[in-house]
Amino acid sequence: MNSNLSKISFQELQDLKNKEEYIFINFNYSYSIKIISFFEKIDMKERDSLIDSFFHLTNTNIRIDDLLGKLHVVLLKILVDGEKNLIINSIGLSENSIEFLIDNMRKILDNFDNKNLIIIENNSHKPFKFNYSN
């Protein structure tokens, strides 16, 4: 399939054109999807279906009692719903968690066409000011 996953720096995000074409996840501004609140709004039956789909796509059992597990389910839900361009702020995730996320999302994106997933590297683990406008 023709989908892309990339890691970029915060500065590269600032320089990104057409930001309005992206869904932002885990950013500290009003247009961003908040992982936990979005996850909690997913119906339990659909959540179970997404977890099952995640296993079939990645051959990995996912725990949903932590932020990383919830993030995986949220991302799969957004992709299944047809969104094409996602940007994730990695703040709060360890390097191992980010690598786990990348490995799983590569497997998942292999089953979708024309999707773009960007992970923002935030090595400082501090929130940063983000300018949404181009």
Side-chain angles (χ1 to χ4, degrees), residues 46-74:
E46 182 179 14
R47 196 182 300 171
D48 290 343
S49 175
L50 289 165
I51 293 167
D52 188 50
S53 294
F54 180 88
F55 176 78
H56 289 292
L57 293 170
T58 65
N59 203 28
T60 302
N61 285 314
I62 195 75
R63 293 185 343 223
I64 58 167
D65 57 345
D66 62 15
L67 185 65
L68 184 59
K70 288 177 174 68
L71 176 58
H72 280 92
V73 172
V74 165

Side-chain angles (χ1 to χ4, degrees), residues 6-29 32 85-91 116-123 126-134:
S6 56
K7 269 172 72 172
I8 65 172
S9 69
F10 171 65
Q11 185 55 50
E12 290 170 299
L13 171 63
Q14 294 291 56
D15 298 337
L16 186 68
K17 302 293 183 218
N18 302 323
K19 290 182 186 101
E20 68 279 353
E21 294 178 11
Y22 288 83
I23 303 271
F24 289 82
I25 301 165
N26 202 30
F27 285 82
N28 189 21
Y29 79 104
S32 175
N85 302 309
L86 308 175
I87 297 179
I88 304 162
N89 182 358
S90 67
I91 191 165
N116 296 299
L117 178 63
I118 298 172
I119 298 174
I120 305 303
E121 294 180 287
N122 190 347
N123 298 333
K126 295 178 183 174
F128 47 76
K129 285 280 193 193
F130 173 67
N131 183 7
Y132 179 75
S133 61
N134 286 325

Side-chain angles (χ1 to χ4, degrees), residues 27-52:
F27 285 82
N28 189 21
Y29 79 104
S30 60
Y31 295 107
S32 175
I33 289 176
K34 308 304 185 252
I35 297 167
I36 294 173
S37 61
F38 188 93
F39 177 85
E40 290 173 349
K41 290 178 184 172
I42 301 172
D43 176 78
M44 186 63 86
K45 186 175 179 181
E46 182 179 14
R47 196 182 300 171
D48 290 343
S49 175
L50 289 165
I51 293 167
D52 188 50

Side-chain angles (χ1 to χ4, degrees), residues 98-109:
I98 294 168
E99 291 307 314
F100 183 70
L101 176 67
I102 288 170
D103 289 344
N104 288 325
M105 293 314 298
R106 281 197 174 117
K107 293 173 189 173
I108 289 171
L109 288 173

